[in-house]
Amino acid sequence: MVKITDTYEINTGGVIIGGNSDISLQTMWKSPLTGLDSSGIDNILKELEELKAAGCDIIRFAAPDLRSAEILSNLAHKSPLPVVADIHFDYKIALRCLADDSGIAKVRINPGNIGAEWKVEEVLKRAADKNIPIRVGVNGGSLPAELKNEKNIANAMLKAAEMEVEIFEKYSFKNAVFSLKSSDVDSTVEANREFSSRYKYPLHIGVTEAGPLIPGVVKNTAGVLAMLNEGIGSTVRVSLSSPPIDEIEAGKAILKLCGSKKNYVNIVSCPRCGRATFDVHAFLSKINKKLNTIQKPVTAAVMGCIVNGPDEAKHADIGITGSGNSVVIFER
Ligand code: SF4
């Protein structure tokens, strides 16, 4: 069994994935880049600053064509977060993202659609030359043609990853992160468990196409927590049909559950009931974004009345209990 700390350390634009490094959090940009003017790019950069303040370590963008790759390369030089280019089908887009003028920190390829080995070889040669890591992103929904009829998704994902490992090892390319993701929690855990017992490549983990916010968070918590508790996984992406900031907030909550030492704020708040003298929901929706930018290991409690408010606040670093139009703020 390969221990998590024995995995290779992969430098993704200054964020180390694997080895003894902290588990990093990442999300993905959710809109196309094509057609953006400079103010559109500025808006993205502003949002990336907000994601960084909220605890995001790495951002990934889809680059479905060469034009997107150009824009991404330009954006990456100004980005406050390391930028990963997500490539499907066309290896030439990956080559563009690995060009001299590219500020891109990592390239993701999908073995299910990148094509023949010589194309992967071209990508690996360029990546080795530029010292840029590659993520092999195996997805249960886009497996290589020869594995599409496999009944056991976990086995199929493992085989797809192993086929790629063979190519990477043939070219002595170790600067790589792997991911094996499916929308099925058990298959995802099983495939990652098996892969991590055989190889030293760090794993990017998450349950993919997990659904809308609530079921998506539940599936990711079940899968990611199970893997992290077994020492599997070096970087996390919680995949949700929801904005990137929700993926980061969910990822932080999962990492806290598994004892991450990172400086994430812990928010305690009451569900509100008929005794409430203060609208906790409305108050939280106003301050939640701000609270999430606190990069300190503090607990903030927001309570709706005096039944549980003062006692919960006693255990928190900051307690906020409402009463009518007023709030009482307790410190420690
Ligand atoms: Fe209800 Fe007060 Fe408890 Fe909130 S703290 S759930 S308002 S009793």
Side-chain angles (χ1 to χ4, degrees):
M1 167 74 86
V2 177
K3 279 196 265 160
I4 183 173
T5 47
D6 289 341
T7 55
Y8 302 133
E9 291 191 354
I10 306 300
N11 187 338
T12 301
V15 175
I16 306 297
I17 298 176
N20 281 315
S21 60
D22 285 336
I23 294 163
S24 51
L25 270 183
Q26 49 183 294
T27 184
M28 193 163 180
W29 192 252
K30 308 215 170 191
S31 311
L33 291 173
T34 38
L36 281 179
D37 57 12
S38 59
S39 76
I41 298 280
D42 287 347
N43 287 340
I44 293 179
L45 293 171
K46 210 169 129 226
E47 278 202 51
L48 296 187
E49 286 288 359
E50 289 176 8
L51 285 168
K52 184 180 180 179
C56 179
D57 299 301
I58 297 169
I59 182 76
R60 179 161 48 115
F61 286 83
D65 48 41
L66 285 169
R67 180 70 194 127
S68 307
E70 298 281 343
I71 296 170
L72 187 55
S73 169
N74 177 27
L75 186 152
H77 286 289
K78 301 175 196 155
S79 170
L81 293 167
V83 166
V84 180
D86 193 80
I87 314 294
H88 292 260
F89 303 107
D90 190 349
Y91 80 105
K92 287 190 196 132
I93 306 171
L95 294 182
R96 173 63 191 92
C97 291
L98 295 164
D100 280 335
D101 64 344
S102 154
I104 289 166
K106 187 168 69 181
V107 168
R108 180 266 172 121
I109 56 171
N110 180 341
N113 56 37
I114 199 72
E117 181 178 331
W118 67 266
K119 294 179 181 173
V120 178
E121 183 193 341
E122 290 295 306
V123 173
L124 295 187
K125 275 200 284 195
R126 179 76 63 87
D129 196 35
K130 306 290 171 215
N131 197 24
I132 294 177
I134 300 291
R135 171 161 70 95
V136 175
V138 176
N139 188 314
S142 53
L143 289 162
E146 58 269 49
L147 296 171
K148 280 203 194 300
N149 294 327
E150 276 265 353
K151 295 259 179 319
N152 184 320
I153 295 293
N155 273 346
M157 290 198 291
L158 188 63
K159 278 187 198 162
E162 299 207 296
M163 281 156 56
E164 216 65 6
V165 167
E166 256 180 53
I167 301 175
F168 277 46
E169 293 194 341
K170 194 160 144 192
Y171 298 100
S172 302
F173 190 91
K174 292 191 164 61
N175 195 12
V177 175
F178 276 66
S179 62
L180 299 86
K181 298 190 192 177
S182 134
S183 57
D184 178 71
V185 175
D186 290 342
S187 304
T188 302
V189 174
E190 200 182 319
N192 281 276
R193 190 180 282 143
E194 219 27 65
F195 185 91
S196 72
S197 72
R198 299 181 192 185
Y199 303 105
K200 287 185 150 199
Y201 298 98
L203 280 164
H204 160 134
I205 58 169
V207 176
T208 194
E209 289 108 31
L213 184 61
I214 293 171
V217 168
V218 171
K219 286 184 210 167
N220 269 282
T221 305
V224 172
L225 203 55
M227 290 187 269
L228 292 177
N229 283 338
E230 290 183 32
I232 299 165
S234 300
T235 183
V236 171
R237 191 251 170 136
V238 173
S239 162
L240 301 171
S241 304
S242 201
I245 195 79
D246 289 343
E247 297 190 353
I248 294 302
E249 204 176 325
K252 278 164 68 172
I254 296 171
L255 288 188
K256 269 190 300 214
L257 282 178
C258 79
S260 167
K261 300 276 183 295
K262 271 194 162 180
N263 288 334
Y264 296 142
V265 64
N266 180 33
I267 301 171
V268 174
S269 65
C270 86
R272 200 177 73 193
C273 74
R275 288 180 206 89
T277 51
F278 172 68
D279 191 349
V280 171
H281 298 189
F283 183 72
L284 259 183
S285 70
K286 268 194 211 153
I287 65 159
N288 194 41
K289 193 169 162 189
K290 181 99 178 153
L291 278 179
N292 265 298
T293 62
I294 298 174
Q295 305 240 355
K296 286 183 185 160
V298 296
T299 295
V302 184
M303 312 302 287
C305 78
I306 56 160
V307 173
N308 294 321
D311 273 357
E312 283 288 358
K314 250 196 258 174
H315 307 291
D317 298 287
I318 304 164
I320 302 167
T321 297
S323 178
N325 287 328
S326 313
V327 290
V328 182
I329 299 177
F330 306 77
E331 208 179 335
R332 290 186 194 88

